[in-house]
Amino acid sequence: MKSGIHPDYHTITVELTDGTKFQTRSTWGKEGDTLHLEIDPKVHPAWTGGTRQVQEGGQVARFNKRFGGLTLGKK
């Protein structure tokens, strides 16, 4: 590796929303800093299987809703 072009890679502590802590290596912050997560796998719907918002119709339906009244009338 070339010297002087890579970020400092050091140990930090990650704290989850429930207070669980673990140590990992990262380029974030400084040696010994604590990263407090607001969203983590224990609370985020993507991991917990929670509900998600369903769009009404697809792309064609959205297009027709926006531009359905336009015509290309020939004169």
Side-chain angles (χ1 to χ4, degrees):
M1 291 193 319
K2 288 185 177 180
S3 62
I5 64 167
H6 298 284
D8 180 32
Y9 195 59
H10 49 270
T11 304
I12 65 166
T13 302
V14 178
E15 185 175 352
L16 302 178
T17 56
D18 66 351
T20 305
K21 295 181 182 181
F22 65 92
Q23 287 195 336
T24 187
R25 293 179 48 85
S26 174
T27 58
W28 180 86
K30 299 177 187 151
E31 179 77 31
D33 281 353
T34 301
L35 176 61
H36 300 278
L37 297 181
E38 294 177 3
I39 298 176
D40 62 36
K42 294 181 181 180
V43 297
H44 195 277
W47 288 283
T48 61
T51 61
R52 45 183 197 148
Q53 296 178 358
V54 178
Q55 294 180 358
E56 292 182 18
Q59 289 183 349
V60 174
R62 284 197 317 264
F63 178 86
N64 287 335
K65 183 178 177 182
R66 289 179 67 187
F67 304 109
L70 297 178
T71 60
L72 299 173
K74 295 182 181 181
K75 294 182 182 180

